[in-house]
Amino acid sequence: MERSTRVSVFESDKPSEIQLIKSKLDDAKITNSVENSYLTFTTTPTATSLKIMVDLQDEKNAFQVIDAYLQQSENQ
């Protein structure tokens, strides 16, 4: 049984932004998952941060997809 290493490629506390990035990665055929984690320190105990996780070998391609999206949205 081979165990893959998963890495976080994007974090946000906005579910709509996470869903948009997740769909971009899905379109690029990059397997991904979303994880919840509680924020610490200065945030309220109920605030959560969402992370998009991908396999380590897909990390470079995932960052390219995310960078392209962020540049596109920045130029609008």
Side-chain angles (χ1 to χ4, degrees):
M1 188 167 110
E2 191 176 317
R3 183 164 163 79
S4 62
T5 301
R6 312 273 295 159
V7 293
S8 172
V9 292
F10 190 78
E11 286 187 45
S12 177
D13 57 354
K14 299 177 190 149
S16 59
E17 191 174 40
I18 289 288
Q19 197 56 47
L20 198 61
I21 297 290
K22 183 173 179 12
S23 69
K24 298 275 185 200
L25 293 174
D26 289 341
D27 291 347
K29 306 283 190 264
I30 298 173
T31 304
N32 63 82
S33 61
V34 177
E35 292 184 3
N36 274 354
S37 62
Y38 284 104
L39 297 175
T40 57
F41 296 48
T42 58
T43 59
T44 61
T46 57
T48 58
S49 176
L50 299 168
K51 293 182 184 180
I52 297 181
M53 307 293 287
V54 301
D55 288 335
L56 184 59
Q57 68 263 22
D58 293 329
E59 181 182 29
K60 182 180 177 188
N61 292 337
F63 278 130
Q64 289 173 341
V65 169
I66 293 166
D67 285 345
Y69 161 73
L70 292 175
Q71 286 177 1
Q72 174 193 0
S73 63
E74 206 174 81
N75 294 333
Q76 288 181 348

Coordinates of all heavy atoms in Angstrom, one line a residue:
M1 N 0.8 -1.2 0.0 CA 0.0 0.0 0.0 C 0.9 1.2 0.0 O 1.7 1.5 0.9 CB -0.9 0.0 1.2 CG -1.9 1.1 1.3 SD -3.1 0.7 2.5 CE -2.7 2.0 3.7
E2 N 0.7 2.1 -1.0 CA 1.6 3.3 -1.1 C 0.9 4.4 -0.5 O -0.3 4.7 -0.7 CB 1.8 3.5 -2.6 CG 2.8 4.6 -2.9 CD 3.1 4.8 -4.3 OE1 3.2 3.8 -5.0 OE2 3.2 5.9 -4.8
R3 N 1.6 5.1 0.3 CA 1.0 6.3 1.0 C 1.5 7.6 0.4 O 2.7 7.7 0.2 CB 1.4 6.3 2.5 CG 0.9 7.4 3.3 CD 1.0 7.0 4.8 NE 0.8 8.2 5.6 CZ -0.4 8.8 5.9 NH1 -1.5 8.2 5.5 NH2 -0.4 9.8 6.7
S4 N 0.6 8.4 0.0 CA 1.0 9.7 -0.7 C 1.1 10.8 0.3 O 0.4 10.9 1.3 CB 0.1 10.0 -1.8 OG -1.2 10.3 -1.3
T5 N 2.0 11.7 0.0 CA 2.2 12.9 0.9 C 1.3 14.0 0.4 O 1.3 14.3 -0.8 CB 3.7 13.4 0.8 OG1 4.5 12.3 1.3 CG2 3.9 14.6 1.7
R6 N 0.5 14.6 1.2 CA -0.4 15.6 0.9 C 0.1 17.0 1.4 O 0.7 17.0 2.5 CB -1.8 15.4 1.4 CG -2.3 14.0 1.3 CD -3.1 13.8 0.0 NE -4.3 14.5 -0.1 CZ -4.9 14.8 -1.2 NH1 -4.4 14.4 -2.3 NH2 -6.0 15.5 -1.2
V7 N 0.0 18.0 0.5 CA 0.5 19.3 0.9 C -0.6 20.4 0.7 O -1.5 20.2 -0.2 CB 1.8 19.7 0.1 CG1 2.9 18.9 0.5 CG2 1.5 19.7 -1.4
S8 N -0.6 21.4 1.5 CA -1.5 22.5 1.3 C -1.1 23.4 0.3 O 0.1 23.9 0.3 CB -1.7 23.2 2.7 OG -2.5 24.4 2.5
V9 N -2.0 23.8 -0.7 CA -1.6 24.7 -1.8 C -2.4 26.0 -1.7 O -2.0 27.0 -2.4 CB -1.7 24.0 -3.2 CG1 -0.7 22.9 -3.4 CG2 -3.1 23.5 -3.4
F10 N -3.4 26.0 -0.9 CA -4.2 27.3 -0.8 C -5.0 27.3 0.5 O -5.6 26.2 0.9 CB -5.2 27.4 -2.0 CG -5.9 28.7 -2.1 CD1 -5.2 29.8 -2.7 CD2 -7.2 28.8 -1.7 CE1 -5.9 31.0 -2.8 CE2 -7.8 30.1 -1.8 CZ -7.2 31.1 -2.4
E11 N -5.1 28.4 1.1 CA -5.8 28.5 2.4 C -6.7 29.8 2.3 O -6.3 30.8 1.8 CB -4.9 28.7 3.6 CG -4.2 27.4 4.0 CD -3.5 27.6 5.3 OE1 -4.0 28.2 6.2 OE2 -2.3 27.1 5.3
S12 N -7.9 29.7 2.9 CA -8.8 30.9 2.9 C -9.9 30.6 4.0 O -10.1 29.5 4.3 CB -9.4 31.1 1.5 OG -10.4 32.2 1.6
D13 N -10.4 31.7 4.5 CA -11.6 31.5 5.4 C -12.9 31.8 4.6 O -13.9 31.9 5.2 CB -11.4 32.4 6.6 CG -11.3 33.9 6.2 OD1 -11.2 34.2 5.0 OD2 -11.3 34.7 7.2
K14 N -12.8 31.9 3.3 CA -14.0 32.2 2.5 C -14.3 30.9 1.7 O -13.6 30.6 0.7 CB -13.7 33.3 1.5 CG -13.3 34.6 2.1 CD -13.0 35.7 1.1 CE -12.4 36.9 1.7 NZ -11.5 37.6 0.9
P15 N -15.4 30.2 2.0 CA -15.8 29.0 1.3 C -16.0 29.2 -0.2 O -15.6 28.3 -0.9 CB -17.1 28.6 2.0 CG -17.0 29.2 3.4 CD -16.3 30.5 3.2
S16 N -16.5 30.3 -0.6 CA -16.7 30.6 -2.0 C -15.4 30.6 -2.8 O -15.3 30.1 -3.9 CB -17.5 31.9 -2.2 OG -16.8 33.0 -1.7
E17 N -14.4 31.2 -2.2 CA -13.0 31.2 -2.8 C -12.4 29.8 -2.9 O -11.8 29.5 -3.9 CB -12.1 32.2 -2.0 CG -10.9 32.5 -2.7 CD -10.1 33.6 -1.9 OE1 -10.0 33.6 -0.7 OE2 -9.5 34.4 -2.6
I18 N -12.6 29.1 -1.8 CA -12.1 27.7 -1.8 C -12.7 26.9 -2.9 O -12.1 26.1 -3.6 CB -12.3 27.1 -0.4 CG1 -11.4 27.7 0.7 CG2 -12.1 25.6 -0.4 CD1 -9.9 27.3 0.5
Q19 N -14.1 27.0 -3.0 CA -14.8 26.2 -4.0 C -14.4 26.6 -5.4 O -14.2 25.7 -6.3 CB -16.3 26.5 -3.8 CG -17.2 25.4 -4.5 CD -16.8 24.0 -4.1 OE1 -16.7 23.7 -2.9 NE2 -16.7 23.1 -5.0
L20 N -14.1 27.9 -5.6 CA -13.7 28.3 -7.0 C -12.3 27.7 -7.3 O -12.1 27.2 -8.4 CB -13.6 29.8 -7.0 CG -13.6 30.5 -8.3 CD1 -14.8 30.2 -9.1 CD2 -13.4 32.0 -8.2
I21 N -11.4 27.8 -6.4 CA -10.0 27.2 -6.6 C -10.1 25.7 -6.8 O -9.5 25.1 -7.7 CB -9.1 27.6 -5.4 CG1 -8.8 29.1 -5.3 CG2 -7.7 26.8 -5.6 CD1 -8.0 29.7 -6.4
K22 N -10.9 25.1 -6.0 CA -11.1 23.6 -6.0 C -11.6 23.2 -7.4 O -11.1 22.3 -8.0 CB -12.1 23.1 -5.0 CG -12.3 21.6 -4.9 CD -13.1 21.2 -3.8 CE -13.3 19.7 -3.7 NZ -12.6 18.8 -4.5
S23 N -12.6 24.0 -8.0 CA -13.1 23.6 -9.3 C -12.1 23.9 -10.4 O -12.0 23.1 -11.4 CB -14.4 24.4 -9.6 OG -14.1 25.8 -9.8
K24 N -11.2 24.9 -10.2 CA -10.1 25.1 -11.2 C -9.2 23.9 -11.2 O -8.7 23.5 -12.2 CB -9.3 26.4 -10.9 CG -10.2 27.6 -10.9 CD -10.2 28.2 -12.3 CE -10.9 29.5 -12.4 NZ -11.4 29.8 -13.7
L25 N -8.8 23.4 -10.0 CA -8.0 22.2 -9.9 C -8.6 21.0 -10.5 O -8.0 20.2 -11.1 CB -7.5 22.0 -8.4 CG -6.7 23.1 -7.8 CD1 -6.4 22.8 -6.3 CD2 -5.3 23.2 -8.6
D26 N -9.9 20.9 -10.2 CA -10.7 19.7 -10.8 C -10.6 19.8 -12.3 O -10.4 18.8 -13.0 CB -12.1 19.7 -10.3 CG -12.3 19.4 -8.8 OD1 -11.4 18.7 -8.3 OD2 -13.4 19.7 -8.3
D27 N -10.8 21.0 -12.9 CA -10.8 21.1 -14.3 C -9.4 20.8 -14.9 O -9.3 20.3 -16.0 CB -11.1 22.6 -14.7 CG -12.6 23.0 -14.5 OD1 -13.4 22.0 -14.2 OD2 -12.9 24.2 -14.5
A28 N -8.4 21.0 -14.1 CA -7.0 20.7 -14.5 C -6.7 19.2 -14.2 O -5.5 18.8 -14.4 CB -6.0 21.6 -13.9
K29 N -7.6 18.4 -13.8 CA -7.5 17.0 -13.4 C -6.4 16.8 -12.3 O -5.7 15.8 -12.3 CB -7.0 16.2 -14.7 CG -7.9 16.4 -15.9 CD -9.2 15.6 -15.7 CE -10.0 15.5 -17.0 NZ -11.1 16.5 -17.1
I30 N -6.4 17.7 -11.3 CA -5.6 17.6 -10.2 C -6.4 17.2 -9.0 O -7.3 17.9 -8.6 CB -4.8 18.9 -9.9 CG1 -3.9 19.3 -11.0 CG2 -4.0 18.8 -8.6 CD1 -3.3 20.7 -10.9
T31 N -6.2 16.0 -8.5 CA -6.9 15.5 -7.4 C -6.7 16.3 -6.1 O -5.5 16.6 -5.8 CB -6.5 14.0 -7.1 OG1 -6.7 13.2 -8.3 CG2 -7.3 13.4 -5.9
N32 N -7.7 16.7 -5.5 CA -7.6 17.6 -4.3 C -8.7 17.4 -3.3 O -9.7 16.7 -3.6 CB -7.6 19.1 -4.8 CG -8.9 19.5 -5.4 OD1 -9.9 19.8 -4.7 ND2 -9.0 19.4 -6.7
S33 N -8.4 17.9 -2.1 CA -9.4 17.8 -1.0 C -9.4 19.0 -0.2 O -8.4 19.7 -0.2 CB -9.2 16.5 -0.2 OG -7.9 16.6 0.4
V34 N -10.5 19.3 0.5 CA -10.6 20.5 1.4 C -10.6 20.0 2.8 O -11.3 19.1 3.2 CB -11.8 21.3 1.1 CG1 -12.0 22.5 2.0 CG2 -11.8 21.7 -0.4
E35 N -9.8 20.7 3.6 CA -9.7 20.3 5.1 C -10.0 21.6 5.9 O -9.7 22.7 5.5 CB -8.3 19.9 5.5 CG -8.0 18.5 4.9 CD -6.6 18.0 5.4 OE1 -6.0 18.7 6.2 OE2 -6.2 17.0 4.9
N36 N -10.7 21.4 7.0 CA -11.0 22.5 7.9 C -9.9 22.5 9.0 O -9.5 21.4 9.5 CB -12.3 22.2 8.6 CG -13.5 22.7 7.8 OD1 -13.3 23.3 6.8 ND2 -14.7 22.4 8.3
S37 N -9.6 23.6 9.5 CA -8.7 23.7 10.7 C -9.1 25.0 11.4 O -9.4 26.0 10.8 CB -7.3 23.7 10.3 OG -6.9 24.8 9.6
Y38 N -9.1 24.9 12.7 CA -9.5 26.1 13.5 C -8.3 27.0 13.5 O -7.2 26.7 13.6 CB -9.8 25.7 15.0 CG -11.1 25.1 15.1 CD1 -11.3 23.7 15.3 CD2 -12.3 25.8 15.1 CE1 -12.5 23.1 15.4 CE2 -13.5 25.3 15.2 CZ -13.7 23.9 15.4 OH -14.9 23.4 15.5
L39 N -8.7 28.3 13.3 CA -7.6 29.3 13.4 C -7.3 29.5 14.9 O -8.1 29.3 15.8 CB -8.2 30.6 12.8 CG -8.5 30.6 11.3 CD1 -9.1 31.9 10.9 CD2 -7.3 30.3 10.5
T40 N -6.1 30.0 15.1 CA -5.7 30.2 16.5 C -5.4 31.6 16.8 O -5.4 32.5 16.0 CB -4.4 29.3 16.8 OG1 -3.4 29.7 15.9 CG2 -4.8 27.8 16.7
F41 N -5.0 31.9 18.1 CA -4.5 33.2 18.5 C -5.6 34.2 18.5 O -6.4 34.2 19.3 CB -3.3 33.7 17.7 CG -2.1 32.9 17.7 CD1 -2.1 31.6 17.6 CD2 -0.9 33.5 18.0 CE1 -1.0 30.8 17.6 CE2 0.3 32.8 18.0 CZ 0.2 31.4 17.8
T42 N -5.5 35.1 17.5 CA -6.3 36.4 17.5 C -7.7 36.2 17.0 O -8.4 37.1 16.9 CB -5.6 37.5 16.7 OG1 -5.4 37.0 15.4 CG2 -4.2 37.8 17.4
T43 N -8.0 35.0 16.5 CA -9.4 34.8 15.9 C -10.3 34.3 16.9 O -10.0 33.8 18.0 CB -9.3 33.9 14.7 OG1 -8.8 32.6 15.2 CG2 -8.4 34.4 13.6
T44 N -11.6 34.3 16.6 CA -12.6 33.8 17.4 C -12.5 32.3 17.4 O -12.1 31.7 16.3 CB -14.0 34.2 17.0 OG1 -14.2 33.8 15.7 CG2 -14.2 35.7 17.1
P45 N -12.9 31.6 18.4 CA -12.8 30.1 18.4 C -13.7 29.4 17.3 O -13.4 28.3 17.0 CB -13.4 29.7 19.8 CG -13.4 31.0 20.6 CD -13.4 32.1 19.7
T46 N -14.7 30.1 16.8 CA -15.5 29.5 15.8 C -15.0 29.7 14.4 O -15.5 29.1 13.4 CB -16.9 30.1 15.9 OG1 -16.9 31.5 15.7 CG2 -17.6 29.7 17.2
A47 N -14.0 30.6 14.2 CA -13.5 30.9 12.9 C -12.7 29.7 12.4 O -11.9 29.1 13.1 CB -12.6 32.1 12.9
T48 N -12.9 29.3 11.1 CA -12.1 28.2 10.6 C -11.4 28.6 9.3 O -11.9 29.5 8.6 CB -13.0 27.0 10.2 OG1 -14.0 27.4 9.3 CG2 -13.6 26.4 11.4
S49 N -10.3 28.0 9.1 CA -9.5 28.2 7.8 C -9.7 26.9 7.0 O -9.6 25.8 7.5 CB -8.1 28.4 8.2 OG -7.3 28.6 7.0
L50 N -10.0 27.1 5.7 CA -10.1 26.0 4.8 C -8.8 25.8 4.0 O -8.3 26.8 3.6 CB -11.3 26.2 3.9 CG -12.6 26.3 4.6 CD1 -13.7 26.8 3.6 CD2 -13.1 25.0 5.2
K51 N -8.4 24.6 3.9 CA -7.1 24.4 3.1 C -7.4 23.4 2.0 O -8.2 22.5 2.2 CB -6.1 23.6 4.0 CG -5.5 24.4 5.1 CD -4.5 23.6 5.9 CE -4.0 24.3 7.1 NZ -3.0 23.5 7.8
I52 N -6.8 23.7 0.8 CA -6.9 22.8 -0.3 C -5.6 21.9 -0.3 O -4.5 22.5 -0.3 CB -7.1 23.5 -1.6 CG1 -8.5 24.2 -1.6 CG2 -7.1 22.5 -2.8 CD1 -8.8 24.9 -2.9
M53 N -5.8 20.6 -0.2 CA -4.7 19.7 -0.2 C -4.5 19.0 -1.5 O -5.6 18.6 -2.1 CB -4.8 18.7 1.0 CG -5.1 19.3 2.3 SD -3.8 20.2 3.0 CE -2.7 18.9 3.5
V54 N -3.3 18.8 -2.0 CA -3.0 18.0 -3.2 C -1.9 17.0 -2.9 O -1.2 17.2 -1.9 CB -2.7 18.8 -4.4 CG1 -3.8 19.8 -4.7 CG2 -1.4 19.6 -4.2
D55 N -1.7 16.0 -3.7 CA -0.6 15.1 -3.6 C 0.7 15.9 -3.9 O 0.7 16.8 -4.7 CB -0.7 14.0 -4.6 CG -1.8 13.0 -4.2 OD1 -2.1 12.9 -3.0 OD2 -2.3 12.3 -5.1
L56 N 1.8 15.6 -3.3 CA 3.0 16.3 -3.4 C 3.5 16.4 -4.9 O 3.9 17.4 -5.3 CB 4.1 15.6 -2.6 CG 5.5 16.3 -2.6 CD1 5.4 17.7 -2.0 CD2 6.5 15.5 -1.7
Q57 N 3.3 15.3 -5.7 CA 3.7 15.3 -7.1 C 2.9 16.3 -7.9 O 3.3 16.7 -9.0 CB 3.8 13.9 -7.7 CG 2.4 13.3 -7.9 CD 2.1 12.3 -6.7 OE1 2.6 12.5 -5.6 NE2 1.2 11.4 -7.0
D58 N 1.7 16.7 -7.4 CA 0.8 17.6 -8.1 C 1.0 19.1 -7.7 O 0.3 20.0 -8.2 CB -0.7 17.2 -8.0 CG -1.0 15.9 -8.6 OD1 -0.4 15.6 -9.7 OD2 -1.9 15.2 -8.1
E59 N 1.8 19.3 -6.7 CA 2.0 20.6 -6.1 C 2.4 21.7 -7.1 O 1.7 22.8 -7.2 CB 3.0 20.6 -5.0 CG 3.2 21.9 -4.3 CD 4.3 21.8 -3.2 OE1 5.3 21.0 -3.3 OE2 4.2 22.6 -2.2
K60 N 3.3 21.4 -8.0 CA 3.8 22.4 -8.9 C 2.7 22.8 -9.9 O 2.4 24.0 -10.1 CB 5.0 21.9 -9.7 CG 5.6 22.9 -10.7 CD 6.8 22.3 -11.4 CE 7.3 23.3 -12.4 NZ 8.3 22.7 -13.3
N61 N 2.0 21.8 -10.4 CA 0.9 22.1 -11.3 C -0.3 22.8 -10.6 O -0.9 23.7 -11.2 CB 0.4 20.8 -12.0 CG 1.4 20.2 -12.9 OD1 2.2 20.8 -13.4 ND2 1.2 18.9 -13.1
A62 N -0.5 22.5 -9.4 CA -1.6 23.2 -8.6 C -1.3 24.6 -8.5 O -2.1 25.5 -8.6 CB -1.8 22.5 -7.3
F63 N 0.0 24.9 -8.1 CA 0.4 26.3 -7.9 C 0.3 27.1 -9.2 O -0.1 28.3 -9.2 CB 1.8 26.4 -7.4 CG 1.9 26.3 -5.9 CD1 2.8 25.4 -5.3 CD2 1.0 27.0 -5.0 CE1 2.8 25.3 -3.9 CE2 1.1 26.8 -3.7 CZ 2.0 26.0 -3.1
Q64 N 0.6 26.5 -10.4 CA 0.4 27.1 -11.7 C -1.0 27.5 -11.9 O -1.3 28.6 -12.4 CB 1.0 26.3 -12.8 CG 2.5 26.1 -12.7 CD 3.1 25.1 -13.8 OE1 2.4 24.3 -14.2 NE2 4.4 25.3 -14.0
V65 N -1.9 26.6 -11.7 CA -3.4 26.8 -11.9 C -3.8 28.0 -10.9 O -4.5 28.9 -11.4 CB -4.2 25.5 -11.6 CG1 -5.7 25.8 -11.5 CG2 -3.9 24.5 -12.7
I66 N -3.4 27.9 -9.7 CA -3.8 28.9 -8.7 C -3.2 30.3 -9.0 O -4.0 31.3 -9.0 CB -3.4 28.5 -7.3 CG1 -4.2 27.2 -6.9 CG2 -3.6 29.6 -6.3 CD1 -3.7 26.5 -5.6
D67 N -2.0 30.3 -9.4 CA -1.3 31.6 -9.8 C -2.1 32.2 -11.0 O -2.3 33.4 -11.1 CB 0.1 31.4 -10.1 CG 1.0 31.2 -8.9 OD1 0.5 31.5 -7.8 OD2 2.1 30.8 -9.0
A68 N -2.4 31.4 -12.0 CA -3.1 31.9 -13.2 C -4.4 32.5 -12.8 O -4.8 33.6 -13.3 CB -3.3 30.8 -14.2
Y69 N -5.2 31.8 -11.9 CA -6.5 32.3 -11.4 C -6.3 33.7 -10.7 O -7.0 34.6 -10.9 CB -7.2 31.3 -10.6 CG -8.2 31.9 -9.7 CD1 -9.4 32.4 -10.3 CD2 -8.0 32.2 -8.4 CE1 -10.4 33.0 -9.5 CE2 -9.0 32.8 -7.6 CZ -10.2 33.2 -8.2 OH -11.1 33.8 -7.4
L70 N -5.3 33.7 -9.8 CA -5.1 34.9 -9.0 C -4.7 36.1 -9.9 O -5.1 37.2 -9.6 CB -4.0 34.7 -7.9 CG -4.5 33.7 -6.8 CD1 -3.3 33.4 -5.8 CD2 -5.7 34.2 -6.0
Q71 N -3.8 35.9 -10.9 CA -3.4 36.9 -11.8 C -4.6 37.4 -12.6 O -4.8 38.6 -12.8 CB -2.3 36.5 -12.7 CG -1.0 36.4 -12.0 CD 0.1 35.8 -12.9 OE1 -0.1 35.6 -14.1 NE2 1.3 35.7 -12.3
Q72 N -5.5 36.5 -13.0 CA -6.7 36.8 -13.8 C -7.6 37.7 -13.0 O -8.1 38.7 -13.4 CB -7.3 35.6 -14.3 CG -8.7 35.8 -15.0 CD -9.5 34.5 -15.2 OE1 -9.0 33.5 -14.8 NE2 -10.6 34.7 -15.8
S73 N -7.9 37.3 -11.7 CA -8.8 38.0 -10.9 C -8.3 39.3 -10.5 O -9.0 40.3 -10.2 CB -9.2 37.1 -9.7 OG -8.1 36.9 -8.9
E74 N -6.9 39.4 -10.4 CA -6.3 40.7 -10.0 C -6.4 41.7 -11.1 O -6.5 42.9 -10.9 CB -4.8 40.4 -9.7 CG -4.2 41.4 -8.8 CD -2.7 41.0 -8.5 OE1 -1.8 41.2 -9.3 OE2 -2.5 40.3 -7.4
N75 N -6.4 41.3 -12.4 CA -6.5 42.2 -13.5 C -7.9 42.6 -13.9 O -8.1 43.3 -14.9 CB -5.8 41.5 -14.7 CG -4.3 41.4 -14.5 OD1 -3.7 42.1 -13.7 ND2 -3.7 40.3 -15.1
Q76 N -8.9 42.1 -13.2 CA -10.3 42.5 -13.5 C -10.7 43.8 -12.9 O -10.3 44.2 -11.9 CB -11.2 41.4 -13.1 CG -11.1 40.1 -14.0 CD -12.1 39.0 -13.6 OE1 -12.7 39.1 -12.6 NE2 -12.2 38.1 -14.5

